[in-house]
Amino acid sequence: MQDWHVYLSGEIHTDWRERIINGAEKLELPVTFAAPVTDHDASDDCGAVILGGEEKKFWYDHKGAKMNAIRTRTLIEQSDIVVVRFGDKYKQWNAAFDAGYAAALGKSLIILHDETLIHPLKEVDAAALAVAETSEQVVEILRYVIRGELVRS
């Protein structure tokens, strides 16, 4: 059986990634997970720390965004499935961009958010092959698509 590559994009303030990874490990699914840098400060500061500071915030952020894009683009391109989580606390423009990029590449896309975001994310959801509300649902999607196993409650 092939090893599946799953990229976990989106909000960084909850344990949703760990719940998916732990659930997949518990089921012994042949999955390799990847994610963006989730240390917010490192992600924001990488460009200026490595390449030199900037006086203007635009250029400071621009350097960091481009360096982060090297990682993000590469890992999304190498993925079989891209899971994008939208939280309710912050506007995650980067997550929306990742979802659009994955969709443009023809990647299998799973969107994860709670029901309060159905309306604002309707276009993003329309590009997905599945829309889940919990990390546990994502694990069950992975179980089904990888093994063909459907667990009925």
Side-chain angles (χ1 to χ4, degrees), residues 13-68:
H13 303 287
T14 63
D15 68 347
W16 71 274
R17 281 184 183 83
E18 291 78 15
R19 290 171 32 214
I20 291 171
I21 293 167
N22 291 338
E25 287 175 354
K26 191 174 187 178
L27 294 173
E28 298 180 355
L29 295 176
V31 177
T32 301
F33 290 99
V37 172
T38 58
D39 176 329
H40 200 160
D41 291 335
S43 177
D44 284 350
D45 298 340
C46 64
V49 168
I50 295 170
L51 299 173
E54 292 291 339
E55 290 180 29
K56 294 192 175 200
K57 182 69 171 145
F58 175 85
W59 295 113
Y60 186 98
D61 286 345
H62 192 73
K63 279 184 178 179
K66 285 184 156 189
M67 287 185 56
N68 285 312

Side-chain angles (χ1 to χ4, degrees), residues 118-148:
I118 290 171
H119 180 73
L121 291 173
K122 63 186 177 293
E123 287 82 8
V124 174
D125 289 349
L129 295 178
V131 178
E133 291 184 11
T134 68
S135 294
E136 292 70 27
Q137 288 175 324
V138 173
V139 172
E140 288 305 313
I141 291 168
L142 295 175
R143 178 201 310 242
Y144 179 76
V145 301
I146 292 170
R147 289 199 183 137

Side-chain angles (χ1 to χ4, degrees), residues 49-94:
V49 168
I50 295 170
L51 299 173
E54 292 291 339
E55 290 180 29
K56 294 192 175 200
K57 182 69 171 145
F58 175 85
W59 295 113
Y60 186 98
D61 286 345
H62 192 73
K63 279 184 178 179
K66 285 184 156 189
M67 287 185 56
N68 285 312
I70 295 169
R71 177 184 179 95
T72 302
R73 287 181 187 181
T74 301
L75 293 173
I76 287 175
E77 289 168 6
Q78 294 172 350
S79 295
D80 300 301
I81 299 171
V82 176
V83 179
V84 182
R85 161 82 177 146
F86 291 88
D88 60 351
K89 189 171 183 182
Y90 301 99
K91 291 177 174 40
Q92 291 109 37
W93 309 119
N94 58 324

